[in-house]
Amino acid sequence: MNISSRTKGVLMAVIGSIFWGGSGVAAQFILQEKGMTADYLTAVRTIVAGILLLSIDAFINKNNIFAIWKDKESRHRLLAFGVLGMMSVQYTYFVAIECSNAPTATIIQYLMPILILAWFSITERKLPSLSQVICAIMAIFGTALLVTHGSLTALAISDRALFWGILSAFAAAFYTVQPRWLLMRWPSPQVIGWAMLIGGVAISLIYPPLEYPGTVDAPAILSLAYICVLGTAASFWLYVTSTKYILAQEASILNATEPLASIVFSIILLDVMFELPEITGSLLIIMPIIYITLKRK
């Protein structure tokens, strides 16, 4: 049976997003159940995934992966992206998971487009539209529901989890905006691959991953392998490749599968319970992001 190009693109975007959402659940398992640390996981994930992506770009796409280093401006931007973007977004996300759970950390990080909207409104000195303001208010209210369980007197998650979750959203916003110049000039697997490798080496200089922390058993090793191979390298490659067959904004909308997959996997595999306030809050965050993406020119 022949599959149309459009169907192929949709499937690739959805599967890539599901893989990425599953990586957060696998991370929660090894961080909370197997005693792994966020710094070790960040270093291993970014180094292994970076090597895999660069290998794909070199052997499958037949690109010269070292060409980017010959350009001075690209070199400086790539180093900044690797340390301030890639390393920061990975580390803050994993610490947020360590302090709460994968769906909560993923959904709070999903506030990133709202932060980007605010950033461009400030830098371009242009007020957001009424619909964009409504979307931002919905997302903020949804976050409040998510982290308070509908109570106005106490947080349903720790102060530390909320802090790292919001910091992860800011890091994700920087991660999204900063490499635009690079991605317009170089293949995306090459940019992301080098950034991951740079970020992994950078955090290794701060927290050397000299030995495996926590429990060493088959579930822990398989979870780590899933995070590096399917949850990072494969998910990124599938998502980026999908844009050859469907519009980039369509792929962005399908990326809403990520937090939903994280919720479903957490309920099935980790017995994480999401009740009405959390579900409502999650939808109030996800739906405005889809609307903004649909309205984006």
Side-chain angles (χ1 to χ4, degrees):
M1 182 178 68
N2 293 327
I3 300 177
S4 68
S5 295
R6 179 172 176 77
T7 301
K8 185 186 298 184
V10 169
L11 288 174
M12 294 180 87
V14 170
I15 293 171
S17 296
I18 290 174
F19 280 169
W20 192 275
S23 71
V25 179
Q28 179 182 337
F29 173 70
I30 55 179
L31 287 168
Q32 297 182 358
E33 303 295 331
K34 297 299 179 178
M36 185 174 288
T37 59
D39 49 88
Y40 182 90
L41 182 54
T42 301
V44 172
R45 177 183 190 173
T46 49
I47 289 174
V48 173
I51 292 172
L52 287 173
L53 285 172
L54 290 173
S55 300
I56 289 172
D57 200 44
F59 295 105
I60 296 180
N61 299 334
K62 306 299 182 182
N63 287 322
N64 178 8
I65 60 173
F66 298 102
I68 192 171
W69 291 101
K70 297 177 181 179
D71 181 71
K72 183 178 179 180
E73 180 69 15
S74 298
R75 187 165 60 244
H76 292 165
R77 288 177 181 267
L78 185 60
L79 288 170
F81 177 43
V83 177
L84 301 178
M86 186 63 70
M87 184 187 76
S88 298
V89 75
Q90 299 282 344
Y91 180 73
T92 54
Y93 176 61
F94 286 141
V95 176
I97 291 176
E98 196 174 30
C99 299
S100 56
N101 56 60
T104 300
T106 302
I107 293 166
I108 293 177
Q109 191 185 70
Y110 217 64
L111 287 170
M112 170 262 295
I114 300 296
L115 297 175
I116 293 175
L117 175 64
W119 168 255
F120 280 113
S121 295
I122 293 171
T123 56
E124 295 177 2
R125 298 180 180 180
K126 181 181 179 181
L127 290 175
S129 66
L130 178 61
S131 61
Q132 290 172 332
V133 171
I134 293 173
C135 286
I137 292 172
M138 287 175 63
I140 293 169
F141 183 65
T143 304
L145 274 178
L146 184 67
V147 302
T148 64
H149 192 65
S151 170
L152 298 178
T153 59
L155 289 176
I157 63 174
S158 68
D159 294 345
R160 188 165 177 257
L162 180 59
F163 169 79
W164 284 104
I166 292 176
L167 199 61
S168 175
F170 276 97
F174 179 85
Y175 164 91
T176 303
V177 173
Q178 194 269 346
R180 291 175 67 191
W181 187 92
L182 287 168
L183 291 169
M184 291 174 64
R185 290 162 175 79
W186 303 98
S188 52
Q190 189 173 132
V191 173
I192 302 298
W194 278 117
M196 285 185 172
L197 196 55
I198 291 166
V201 171
I203 198 168
S204 297
L205 296 176
I206 304 171
Y207 304 106
L210 300 178
E211 59 183 50
Y212 190 98
T215 304
V216 180
D217 57 15
I221 299 299
L222 287 174
S223 296
L224 182 59
Y226 171 85
I227 291 169
C228 295
V229 179
L230 294 181
T232 306
S235 66
F236 174 80
W237 182 81
L238 284 167
Y239 185 77
V240 169
T241 306
S242 73
T243 59
K244 293 182 179 180
Y245 308 105
I246 59 176
L247 297 175
Q249 55 265 43
E250 292 176 316
S252 298
I253 295 168
L254 294 170
N255 192 41
T257 310
E258 176 195 340
L260 296 177
S262 183
I263 292 172
V264 172
F265 286 146
S266 294
I267 292 173
I268 295 173
L269 301 175
L270 301 179
D271 295 325
V272 174
M273 295 306 297
F274 259 48
E275 298 180 6
L276 184 59
E278 287 88 350
I279 294 173
T280 304
S282 301
L283 291 175
L284 284 173
I285 295 171
I286 295 170
M287 295 307 294
I289 304 307
I290 295 176
Y291 175 77
I292 288 175
T293 304
L294 285 170
K295 296 288 288 185
R296 184 183 302 156
K297 294 182 179 179

